[in-house]
Amino acid sequence: MEDLKLTKWQYRTSIREGLRILSLDCGPEAKQNTLSKQALEELNQVLDVNLTDHPRVMVIRSSKFESFCAGMDVDEIREIVNDPSNLKQLLNRAHEILMKIRQAPYPIIALIAGECLGGGLELAMACHYRFVIDHPKTRLGLPETQLGIIPGFGGTQILPRLVGMQNAIKVIVGGKKLSAKEAKQYGLADSLVDKWEALAIEELDFGTVILDFFLPVKRKVSFLERLPFGKKLVCSMARKATLKATKGVYPAPLLALEAVCASSKSLSRGLNEESDLFVKAANTPEAKNLIDLFFVRKDARKATPLEAKVYPLDVVGVIGAGVMGSTIAYAALTAHNKQVYLHDTYVPSIHKAVRFIEDELAREVKKGKMIKGVAEETRNRLTVGYGETFHSLLSRCDIVIEAIVEDMAEKHKLFTKLEELTRPGAILVSNTSSLLPSEIASVLLHPENFCAMHFFNPAHKMDLVEIAGIKQTNPEIIAKVLNLTRAMGKTPVVLNKECVGLLVNRVMTQYLMQSIFNVSYWPSRPNLWMLDQAFEMCGMMMGPFKTLDLIGFDTGAHVMKMMQAAYPKSLPDLKDFKIADDKSTLGTKTGKGFYIWKNGKPVKPNYEFAKRLDIMPKKKHSLHGEIVAIRETILSKMWLEAMDIYENGIASIDMIDLSLILGGGMMPNRRGVIGRAEH
Ligand code: NAD
């Protein structure tokens, strides 16, 4: 042991006889541990030394409470994806080292706290037993397909052997991350440890069974998988479901599924197939694009326009408790220790918002993601106010986020009042979708404390926040708002200058308006439902008409009208299009729009609505020819809008594409609307 020179691990002998503890430790500057090539080689050294002087039991753990291991080092993943010539060699080496754990003549236990993902879980699965700390921060998963690749250190072969094929598919292909309790139910965790502090390993009772007899644990397999053709049936059903979910746009989930299905072969053949499929996935443009995006997002999260020390904004006001205000308030509340004041003039809006916040907190507790006491403490940090008079807490707010109706006169009245009632220097921001921020701020005596802070719907789930200062904005204000955005766990994109609709809404409005224009302009009335499909098949998260149903035709039409007035040259004029005027076809809000909606899902086209709007197709269309040509025309208009944003110096190409992906679900497979790698 003395000869070992380790930089990524700490290895020590416990005071408990025969117990040795190997802790992954990527240093204090790394927020999360990763399994780099070096960490693997050092693990190999430990395993080799142990062969001559082996312990009675070895525990592999992490020196960080919140990260067992986040997976393979993504910098190294990028390297191998850009130059895959040595890929197979690297994977074989990893298999070889992890096999040494499996074949060790003494039990090796993984003690898991925090995130245990990708290569981290593959390391834990190579161990003979997994003890998992039962804490809301514990998560076990294999999310490689999100980067366009598949698990490559044996995950697709070992997980099905531990939890059965059906459960493995949910984790590997579906990207499900398991809580500690779920890991136990699945049979992935052999034992739950209920104390976070139990990381004082000496206090843990590993059980005489493990220590003295080193018995294998019995694994669960579902009834279906035990039938003669059960596994084949599971694979073919999963293939259909995956094709439907990915619309054939993403190769990695299908390749991962193929690898999982190969787990019914011998381990060595299965591992070999996994490596071949990994190489195939790594060579796709989708993998290059998704990995590239990972770094662009990382840069956006790190970026700071100001080096100066930025004080946190601890008391957050949110005015307007509608769809946006209630979800923004929830996102601020769940950010560390923020006190939130939520105000609305309309009492039912406040009641609805409070019910929403309480329900969300209860859901988190039920899912095991939050402790009950923490949920109660979070709820206690919320103060509400309603009517014309504000609560005194408004005067203590560090920042006030305006999320009231999209009406310039209303916003002017509110901002004038807010400037009077807040403390000097308090930051005032607007969540406007389609008004020019500097025009909103024109009533302020101190516009230097103002900027746009644009969240997406629903704000507690959507990752992106666009931030844009006006000419007078003090850079320190932007830095503080950026910090708050990060504290809320979101990705900030700071625009270099303002414009109506900021960035995402400009391209999104092109998408929606050009789609309406095209299905209503051509005499044949191109099939709008097929146009939705055609867009989804090239990587748009949602077709334009489904998106309109989600936004609601009332809100959508209002925003489109304002955007058209601001950009009359680039946006089409829809004045010949019959705007729906009845209140029963507002999309998901009323269950009917361009589609009939049930339980939040579009179940069939709503022909009646299309007839009323005079956009019912007049001939049979197929998913080729005209529909694809129309899609490409619309995509080129979106590209032009995105390029106009770039050429006007509003944002870089990276930030434009990242925003369009995070805020509008626009083609992550192609790396956004402007895009890079071939597709
Ligand atoms: P909403 O209609 O759901 O909610 C607006 C709320 O503001 C209502 O509860 C209303 O009672 C309240 N309100 C109106 N005037 C007020 C005042 N003077 N003081 C206090 N409360 C007042 O609207 P929403 O969808 O939440 O949109 C709010 C803002 O966010 C708008 O500027 C909108 O453009 C923007 N936005 C909306 C979305 C979206 O998808 N809905 C996305 C991003 C930004």
Side-chain angles (χ1 to χ4, degrees):
M1 257 177 87
E2 285 79 50
D3 300 338
L4 285 169
K5 288 208 172 48
L6 305 176
T7 59
K8 302 286 179 192
W9 301 88
Q10 290 168 15
Y11 194 33
R12 68 179 171 93
T13 304
S14 159
I15 46 164
R16 205 165 142 176
E17 200 197 335
L19 174 65
R20 280 195 210 144
I21 300 156
L22 181 64
S23 306
L24 185 57
D25 184 1
C26 292
E29 63 291 344
K31 214 172 138 210
Q32 290 182 316
N33 279 327
T34 51
L35 199 60
S36 57
K37 279 188 251 177
Q38 189 177 347
L40 271 173
E41 288 305 330
E42 289 181 5
L43 171 65
N44 184 53
Q45 279 182 46
V46 172
L47 294 165
D48 284 351
V49 166
N50 281 357
L51 279 181
T52 46
D53 166 26
H54 76 71
R56 195 154 155 248
V57 61
M58 180 164 89
V59 170
I60 296 186
R61 55 163 287 186
S62 156
S63 60
K64 298 182 195 296
F65 283 172
E66 294 189 3
S67 169
F68 175 80
C69 174
M72 230 178 128
D73 185 324
V74 187
D75 278 306
E76 289 184 2
I77 297 183
R78 175 151 72 173
E79 251 173 57
I80 55 175
V81 165
N82 287 336
D83 175 16
S85 52
N86 293 326
L87 188 46
K88 195 106 199 239
Q89 210 180 329
L90 171 84
L91 297 174
N92 288 344
R93 178 70 180 144
H95 290 161
E96 197 184 314
I97 296 169
L98 295 187
M99 192 59 84
K100 286 188 188 174
I101 297 185
R102 260 175 231 120
Q103 293 175 345
Y106 51 93
I108 301 183
I109 298 169
L111 179 61
I112 300 165
E115 297 217 307
C116 174
L117 303 173
L121 181 56
E122 289 172 302
L123 164 68
M125 285 195 295
C127 297
H128 304 107
Y129 304 95
R130 281 151 298 283
F131 280 46
V132 177
I133 310 283
D134 189 8
H135 187 276
K137 295 236 157 110
T138 301
R139 282 283 169 277
L140 288 80
L142 292 170
E144 283 84 347
T145 56
Q146 284 168 17
L147 290 178
I149 51 173
I150 70 169
F153 292 174
T156 63
Q157 304 306 300
I158 307 300
L159 190 62
R161 284 172 163 82
L162 292 175
V163 304
M165 209 174 242
Q166 274 176 309
N167 283 334
I169 289 171
K170 280 188 213 155
V171 175
I172 296 172
V173 184
K176 185 174 169 61
K177 290 183 186 161
L178 305 177
S179 66
K181 285 201 176 70
E182 284 169 328
K184 182 78 174 70
Q185 281 158 11
Y186 273 49
L188 180 57
D190 297 301
S191 183
L192 290 192
V193 180
D194 60 1
K195 286 181 290 180
W196 188 242
E197 311 77 45
L199 294 177
I201 289 173
E202 285 79 2
E203 287 172 22
L204 280 180
D205 177 14
F206 295 120
T208 40
V209 175
I210 295 173
L211 291 182
D212 295 342
F213 303 107
F214 187 16
L215 287 180
V217 176
K218 249 193 157 186
R219 303 292 168 195
K220 299 172 196 162
V221 178
S222 75
F223 174 70
L224 183 60
E225 285 169 49
R226 272 184 270 140
L227 294 177
F229 291 102
K231 283 187 177 163
K232 272 204 169 135
L233 190 64
V234 167
C235 286
S236 103
M237 286 185 328
R239 196 178 152 72
K240 270 192 204 139
T242 310
L243 266 172
K244 194 171 166 208
T246 60
K247 299 185 176 75
V249 174
Y250 295 95
L254 283 169
L255 295 170
L257 178 64
E258 209 179 317
V260 173
C261 294
S263 67
S264 45
K265 301 176 184 170
S266 71
L267 184 58
S268 63
R269 276 185 66 192
L271 287 175
N272 203 28
E273 279 194 34
E274 181 192 84
S275 300
D276 288 343
L277 291 161
F278 188 107
V279 174
K280 214 167 169 183
N283 274 304
T284 59
E286 286 79 7
K288 287 188 181 63
N289 287 336
L290 292 173
I291 290 166
D292 209 20
L293 267 173
F294 173 90
F295 286 98
V296 174
R297 181 168 172 267
K298 201 169 153 197
D299 286 349
R301 286 197 159 223
K302 265 198 306 209
T304 171
L306 196 77
E307 291 303 318
K309 193 166 179 199
V310 178
Y311 295 99
L313 306 171
D314 290 328
V315 188
V316 178
V318 181
I319 313 294
V323 178
M324 294 310 293
S326 53
T327 52
I328 294 170
Y330 181 80
L333 269 175
T334 42
H336 194 56
N337 268 342
K338 304 273 174 242
Q339 201 173 345
V340 176
Y341 169 51
L342 179 62
H343 184 97
D344 200 293
T345 41
Y346 188 51
V347 180
S349 290
I350 280 290
H351 284 161
K352 200 169 160 199
V354 170
R355 214 175 316 125
F356 160 78
I357 289 169
E358 288 176 349
D359 286 353
E360 277 302 303
L361 290 171
R363 202 165 303 144
E364 289 294 284
V365 173
K366 204 168 162 205
K367 281 198 242 158
K369 290 186 178 169
M370 198 182 270
I371 294 169
K372 198 162 173 244
V374 174
E376 282 163 6
E377 181 273 328
T378 306
R379 168 64 185 89
N380 290 340
R381 281 190 273 110
L382 173 71
T383 304
V384 293
Y386 45 81
E388 295 306 318
T389 321
F390 291 96
H391 188 279
S392 58
L393 185 57
L394 182 69
S395 62
R396 286 208 288 119
C397 283
D398 298 313
I399 180 168
V400 181
I401 304 168
E402 170 274 310
I404 68 165
V405 279
E406 189 74 335
D407 180 283
M408 190 60 93
E410 286 297 320
K411 296 209 195 254
H412 276 169
K413 260 197 272 170
L414 177 68
F415 274 103
T416 309
K417 229 196 247 176
L418 287 177
E419 201 172 40
E420 262 173 50
L421 298 174
T422 49
R423 63 169 175 76
I427 301 173
L428 303 179
V429 303
S430 173
N431 182 45
T432 181
S433 302
S434 50
L435 299 170
L436 189 66
S438 55
E439 216 178 310
I440 298 177
S442 62
V443 293
L444 293 176
L445 298 173
H446 293 284
E448 66 274 16
N449 295 332
F450 174 90
C451 71
M453 185 182 192
H454 186 234
F455 291 83
F456 290 78
N457 183 10
H460 64 307
K461 293 210 170 127
M462 295 291 283
D463 188 16
L464 179 72
V465 176
E466 290 174 297
I467 299 167
I470 59 173
K471 252 193 208 132
Q472 301 96 318
T473 308
N474 179 342
E476 212 170 283
I477 298 296
I478 299 290
K480 286 181 178 173
V481 172
L482 194 94
N483 247 14
L484 174 67
T485 308
R486 277 201 211 105
M488 288 165 89
K490 311 219 162 277
T491 303
V493 167
V494 180
L495 309 193
N496 299 328
K497 51 183 167 179
E498 64 162 349
C499 63
V500 171
L502 302 186
L503 195 164
V504 176
N505 277 348
R506 276 183 63 175
V507 181
M508 181 60 87
T509 316
Q510 278 290 355
Y511 180 46
L512 303 179
M513 290 185 80
Q514 293 291 353
S515 298
I516 295 176
F517 177 75
N518 272 279
V519 297
S520 57
Y521 176 80
W522 299 102
S524 70
R525 300 289 187 260
N527 188 314
L528 68 104
W529 301 284
M530 271 188 182
L531 189 59
D532 265 5
Q533 269 186 57
F535 272 112
E536 287 166 14
M537 281 167 61
C538 76
M540 294 294 287
M541 190 174 66
M542 206 175 268
F545 294 95
K546 266 186 214 158
T547 308
L548 277 165
D549 270 0
L550 211 70
I551 297 171
F553 212 76
D554 49 347
T555 314
H558 181 63
V559 172
M560 287 191 283
K561 203 169 145 202
M562 302 224 277
M563 292 293 285
Q564 214 275 334
Y567 301 101
K569 283 195 189 138
S570 78
L571 287 169
D573 188 344
L574 295 182
K575 64 175 181 299
D576 292 335
F577 177 69
K578 275 195 203 165
I579 297 284
D581 49 9
D582 74 294
K583 296 264 177 268
S584 66
T585 40
L586 300 180
T588 49
K589 285 187 238 176
T590 55
K592 293 194 283 187
F594 294 101
Y595 292 82
I596 305 288
W597 292 77
K598 284 220 167 81
N599 302 326
K601 291 209 165 89
V603 285
K604 57 180 178 185
N606 185 359
Y607 297 126
E608 198 206 310
F609 188 51
K611 276 184 202 150
R612 222 169 339 128
L613 298 177
D614 191 22
I615 51 172
M616 188 66 190
K618 295 219 164 95
K619 66 168 196 184
K620 269 202 162 183
H621 292 92
S622 75
L623 258 177
H624 306 283
E626 196 182 12
I627 295 286
V628 170
I630 291 175
R631 178 191 75 190
E632 294 305 307
T633 311
I634 298 171
L635 282 176
S636 65
K637 300 272 183 193
M638 291 159 69
W639 184 88
L640 281 173
E641 192 71 44
M643 286 308 285
D644 189 63
I645 293 170
Y646 167 66
E647 276 159 11
N648 278 298
I650 292 168
S652 67
I653 287 179
D654 275 354
M655 288 307 125
I656 293 172
D657 273 341
L658 180 71
S659 307
L660 295 175
I661 289 167
L662 297 183
M666 294 184 186
M667 303 185 291
N669 54 326
R670 295 184 180 202
R671 202 192 173 282
V673 168
I674 300 175
R676 257 296 154 76
E678 73 274 21
H679 46 256

